[in-house]
Amino acid sequence: MLIIAGLGNPGAKYAGNRHNIGFMALDAIHRKNPFSPWSKKFKAEISEGELAGDKVLLVKPQTFMNLSGESVGEAMRFYKLAPKDIVAIYDELDLLPGKARIKVGGGHGGHNGIKSLDAHCGKDYRRLRLGIGHPGTKELVTNHVLGDFAKADHAWLDPLLDELAIHADMLVRGEDSQLMNKLALATGSKPEEDKATKKPAGQSHIRAARNHAQPKALPTSGPMADMLKKLFGNKGD
């Protein structure tokens, strides 16, 4: 079983806030996949469903952001799950709008919802960070995260959430890099580099460049052949 927890603040006042992109992501997943109606449990709105053949619990904590871990931790313990069975989706100031990154563990980066999850669930859960951009100065951060997305933001926000919802089964299968590529393409970003296309381990950049530039065969006739003979001489000289 997998818990997908979207972080945000409850109530209509906060519904359109950048800080609530985690709630928005879960609402999109709920709309586009076969999940039960929302109900209340674990100090949260929850919905049960199935993705990629596995049971999935969507959790939107109703404790306000700073206490999100109380809700998610309660659900985790009830189902006897471990941190590895949790995916948290939340807003990230240090990513450009529309960018997405996923990793296991790490720091909270000053995000109070993640601080709470770390305290109640441990740190080794998967973190899907959705970029909302930084306003530029620390003094503007609170108004930025608690401000609503602008109309222009929906040019990247809607495709991002739709694509995440359509391919939410990838979260269950652990296909994280493939999911990041799909989200990048949906928002017009550059896809993540495929690990399979990277140079072989242990081969330096210089050697790789030399190998790439190495001609398959030297010319045996023509102006280039004559020049090479003058420079290096014939074999056996």
Side-chain angles (χ1 to χ4, degrees), residues 145-159:
V145 299
L146 294 180
D148 286 356
F149 283 108
K151 185 178 292 187
D153 289 327
H154 287 272
W156 60 263
L157 179 63
D158 295 344

Side-chain angles (χ1 to χ4, degrees), residues 107-139:
H108 54 70
H111 194 291
N112 289 327
I114 296 304
K115 284 183 185 178
S116 182
L117 257 69
D118 288 353
H120 289 271
C121 304
K123 295 185 177 182
D124 295 328
Y125 55 89
R126 286 153 72 203
R127 303 157 190 239
L128 174 52
R129 300 174 292 148
L130 304 179
I132 61 169
H134 197 287
T137 63
K138 186 176 180 180
E139 292 74 23

